[in-house]
Amino acid sequence: MLEMKNITKSFGPLVANNHVDFTAKKGEIHALLGENGAGKSTLMSILFGLYQADLGDIFINGQKVNIKTPNDATKYKIGMVHQHFKLVDIFTVLENIILGSEDSKNGFLKTKKARKKVEDIMEKYHMELNLDAKIQDLTVGQQQKVEIIKMLYKDSDILVFDEPTAVLTPQEIDEFLSIIKGFSNEGKVVILITHKLNEIKKAAQQCTILRRGKKIATVDVETTSTDKMAELMVGRPIQKNYDKNDYEKSETVLQIDKLTLEGKHKKILDQISFSVSRGEIVGIAGIDGNGQTELVRCLTGLTRITSGKIELNSIDITNLNVRRKNEHGISHIPEDRHKFGLVLDFSLAENLVLERYYQKDFQKYGLIDYKKVNQYAETLSEKYDIRSAYGISTKVRSMSGGNQQKAIIAREIEKDHDLLIAFQPTRGLDVGAIEMIHNELLEQRKNKKGVLLISYELDEIINLSDRILVIYEGRIVGNFDAKKVTPEILGCYMSGGGVKNE
Ligand SMILES: Nc1ncnc2c1ncn2[C@@H]1O[C@H](COP(=O)(O)OP(=O)(O)OP(=O)(O)O)[C@@H](O)[C@H]1O
């Protein structure tokens, strides 16, 4: 059904796709796997008409096609759900779905027919959404459904998903995988860009692996182990277990006492108390939406708390702003890298000194000393293997998602700090990069920093933490020694089935 032949695309000196062939059959779920920056999004953006290939051809059902814009792609029944959704926040679900293919009369939208079509699609694929809700009031999982329905509304037969599960909870992931299986049963082609090997195993039949812009192999998923796929992707075997010596009790870095945050109608965070010590990784496990985002915002100064106390190294920092908290020794890897982690139109070098440019290390005669900034940025790029088209002068917006994340991690780890708050630090990263980040977090522990790790990936929490707290509906409902707890017990507490503080 789809054939991409000899696709080549460069950005300046960087060859993002290097003579890549990609073929998908009718009814196939075909995974596209590769390290961060391997060229997956670029290849699919060429298919979707966002980029033009420098070289190569695309065939659909044997016919050569010329896709210059996303409108051409729609004509050939190709749809794409991007890594970062492209919805209008203040429009309703229905308005977003029909946007671009709307029917109007005398300047007024005709929505009756559209509504019926959307309802039929939702019924067919067992999806539920309030069509009159505004996008801004939906969860990320629901927003993704809007994107999916939008593709189906345009009758797409080739459906491309760019890291669709990176932002979903485990329950939503299962639901998503069963939805795409429904599409393949109907004869549609589903192309799944993902870093999660277990999802590839669960859903895909074929997997094409890219490395540094080149196609390495297309493998049959059933007969290829996840270890083998990971190895093909990074070019070496992946470390699976982490060496970690026992945690030795040490002085407290962070002390939180009865932290409470009241929302309009209810308490979002309710009397949260816990501490993090030097050389300790404290993990916070929980299902998305139980107060994790707000807790991190309160700790980092993005939100003012209603009552309670936050101490860092025994100094009261409760009501300090972001910069002051930062200067007191908090580093923060945020959940949403675009909103809180980066200035997308600044260069990589500028982003690497976002919290430090005004300090004397990077100033000369009251101006930013770019020579020093650039030197520092070069060192970090090399150390953390941050890849981009034009080196440290690349605008961060054009970097791959994984490399953007690496830039944040490099910046936060390298600045002087006592506590690292890492919120979903490996989101969207490939297995090789995850291994690197996990080792970095353990290195922090070894260097006697305190680490607060908040993640929706239970494996990550269990593998790295010394102590695990469970957050449920804004309260800490469990406090466990990581060596003694099982995923089942944590799962039970995470869904509200536990008793307070074991
Ligand atoms: N518009 C652009 N301008 C300059 N460089 C770009 C542009 N788009 C992509 N690149 C570069 O091309 C390379 C491939 O990027 P791409 O987004 O395709 O990678 P990816 O495999 O999807 O990575 P990830 O898993 O991190 O999302 C990266 O090094 C990226 O920085």
Side-chain angles (χ1 to χ4, degrees):
M1 196 153 156
L2 169 69
E3 239 186 318
M4 299 178 82
K5 276 191 185 159
N6 203 24
I7 301 290
T8 299
K9 172 79 183 167
S10 301
F11 297 105
L14 183 132
V15 188
N17 285 161
N18 197 347
H19 303 282
V20 176
D21 291 332
F22 180 85
T23 310
K25 294 202 185 81
K26 192 171 159 53
E28 181 171 279
I29 301 184
H30 196 127
L32 194 52
L33 179 69
E35 284 183 286
N36 297 121
K40 308 174 295 288
S41 302
T42 303
L43 186 68
M44 288 302 120
S45 298
I46 289 170
L47 178 64
F48 192 59
L50 288 169
Y51 293 146
Q52 295 282 299
D54 304 332
L55 200 73
D57 297 308
I58 302 175
F59 299 85
I60 292 182
N61 294 320
Q63 292 287 322
K64 187 167 161 187
V65 294
N66 195 359
I67 302 173
K68 286 210 168 85
T69 65
N71 278 341
D72 293 338
T74 306
K75 197 170 81 193
Y76 294 114
K77 303 199 169 184
I78 301 166
M80 181 163 177
V81 175
H82 300 269
Q83 209 171 346
H84 302 107
F85 302 150
K86 306 209 180 292
L87 299 168
V88 184
D89 269 0
I90 52 163
F91 281 8
T92 65
V93 170
L94 186 65
E95 285 162 349
N96 268 282
I97 292 172
I98 61 180
L99 195 65
S101 40
E102 61 271 23
D103 210 0
S104 62
K105 194 176 173 189
N106 302 329
F108 288 96
L109 272 182
K110 284 169 50 188
T111 54
K112 208 168 151 198
K113 219 166 93 196
R115 184 179 284 272
K116 174 78 177 65
K117 182 169 174 184
V118 174
E119 281 168 354
D120 289 347
I121 292 171
M122 290 201 296
E123 197 185 315
K124 185 166 172 195
Y125 296 106
H126 312 289
M127 290 192 260
E128 264 179 47
L129 276 178
N130 173 2
L131 295 184
D132 300 310
K134 293 229 166 95
I135 295 296
Q136 62 196 14
D137 298 325
L138 302 187
T139 64
V140 175
Q142 289 168 330
Q143 291 184 19
Q144 186 183 58
K145 282 193 187 142
V146 180
E147 288 274 19
I148 296 177
I149 296 171
K150 192 173 168 118
M151 276 198 301
L152 299 171
Y153 185 78
K154 290 180 178 158
D155 302 315
S156 303
D157 280 335
I158 298 175
L159 313 176
V160 183
F161 293 90
D162 194 350
E163 287 184 40
T165 60
V167 291
L168 300 184
T169 61
Q171 287 83 344
E172 286 172 330
I173 291 174
D174 287 342
E175 198 186 338
F176 170 79
L177 293 178
S178 82
I179 291 174
I180 59 168
K181 279 184 193 162
F183 298 154
S184 83
N185 289 340
E186 257 199 8
K188 294 184 192 293
V189 166
V190 177
I191 302 171
L192 193 62
I193 302 182
T194 179
H195 291 295
K196 299 189 182 165
L197 298 161
N198 60 344
E199 282 166 19
I200 297 183
K201 268 283 180 201
K202 269 191 207 163
Q205 289 92 42
Q206 296 287 307
C207 175
T208 290
I209 297 151
L210 299 183
R211 194 191 316 148
R212 300 205 174 198
K214 287 194 181 141
K215 174 179 157 177
I216 299 296
T218 295
V219 296
D220 181 35
V221 172
E222 207 179 5
T223 55
T224 313
S225 69
T226 48
D227 287 355
K228 182 71 199 162
M229 285 193 259
E231 194 177 328
L232 282 169
M233 172 180 149
V234 290
R236 62 177 167 84
I238 289 289
Q239 171 189 354
K240 275 176 137 177
N241 297 311
Y242 296 95
D243 266 345
K244 203 168 95 179
N245 51 353
D246 283 348
Y247 160 69
E248 291 161 25
K249 187 88 191 122
S250 183
E251 75 243 46
T252 305
V253 181
L254 176 74
Q255 178 74 53
I256 303 172
D257 196 24
K258 295 197 177 125
L259 187 155
T260 299
L261 177 70
E262 284 180 19
K264 267 192 198 140
H265 307 295
K266 61 172 187 162
K267 284 186 182 158
I268 299 170
L269 297 172
D270 190 2
Q271 306 252 349
I272 293 201
S273 302
F274 67 87
S275 64
V276 180
S277 301
R278 290 193 173 275
E280 182 185 35
I281 300 183
V282 174
I284 297 197
I287 297 169
D288 183 12
N290 276 285
Q292 294 96 321
T293 303
E294 291 80 4
L295 176 62
V296 171
R297 285 190 187 182
C298 289
L299 295 180
T300 51
L302 286 159
T303 298
R304 259 183 118 78
I305 69 175
T306 312
S307 62
K309 195 170 176 188
I310 307 168
E311 282 184 352
L312 192 75
N313 295 324
S314 305
I315 299 169
D316 186 351
I317 59 158
T318 313
N319 287 320
L320 298 186
N321 63 23
V322 178
R323 183 184 277 193
R324 296 297 310 284
K325 282 197 167 128
N326 195 354
E327 288 169 346
H328 271 81
I330 290 187
S331 270
H332 173 209
I333 300 168
E335 179 185 25
D336 185 332
R337 56 178 164 252
H338 284 182
K339 255 192 204 145
F340 297 111
L342 299 162
V343 181
L344 293 174
D345 289 315
F346 280 11
S347 70
L348 171 59
E350 286 164 330
N351 271 283
L352 288 173
V353 295
L354 270 190
E355 292 145 321
R356 303 186 53 187
Y357 67 90
Y358 60 89
Q359 292 170 353
K360 69 173 186 317
D361 293 356
F362 298 111
Q363 291 274 320
K364 199 175 176 185
Y365 312 124
L367 298 170
I368 297 178
D369 183 347
Y370 272 97
K371 205 171 151 206
K372 289 217 180 106
V373 169
N374 291 346
Q375 259 170 11
Y376 179 71
E378 289 286 5
T379 315
L380 260 55
S381 291
E382 197 162 311
K383 181 166 171 194
Y384 291 85
D385 190 22
I386 307 170
R387 296 180 203 166
S388 57
Y390 307 100
I392 56 163
S393 57
T394 310
K395 268 197 186 163
V396 164
R397 185 183 293 284
S398 77
M399 287 167 46
S400 79
N403 280 295
Q404 291 176 347
Q405 183 74 354
K406 283 194 204 169
I408 295 175
I409 286 167
R411 180 184 70 211
E412 298 302 316
I413 287 186
E414 291 292 324
K415 90 183 212 320
D416 193 18
H417 65 283
D418 293 313
L419 175 74
L420 174 67
I421 300 177
F423 199 167
Q424 292 275 74
T426 57
R427 178 162 165 182
L429 295 188
D430 66 65
V431 283
I434 290 176
E435 181 189 40
M436 182 198 112
I437 307 281
H438 284 174
N439 282 322
E440 282 296 339
L441 292 180
L442 291 172
E443 194 63 23
Q444 295 284 299
R445 178 180 181 270
K446 212 161 113 196
N447 294 338
K448 295 283 174 212
K449 311 279 184 199
V451 179
L452 182 63
L453 170 68
I454 303 99
S455 173
Y456 306 131
E457 309 275 344
L458 209 46
D459 286 347
E460 179 164 82
I461 295 263
I462 292 174
N463 280 335
L464 297 175
S465 308
D466 298 296
R467 203 147 50 82
I468 301 177
L469 309 176
V470 180
I471 191 165
Y472 177 72
E473 294 192 339
R475 284 178 301 126
I476 299 293
V477 293
N479 184 348
F480 303 95
D481 179 340
K483 284 204 294 287
K484 295 189 184 140
V485 72
T486 63
E488 290 71 29
I489 295 179
L490 289 174
C492 177
Y493 276 73
M494 281 160 63
S495 49
V499 190
K500 198 171 161 40
N501 279 326
E502 278 241 312

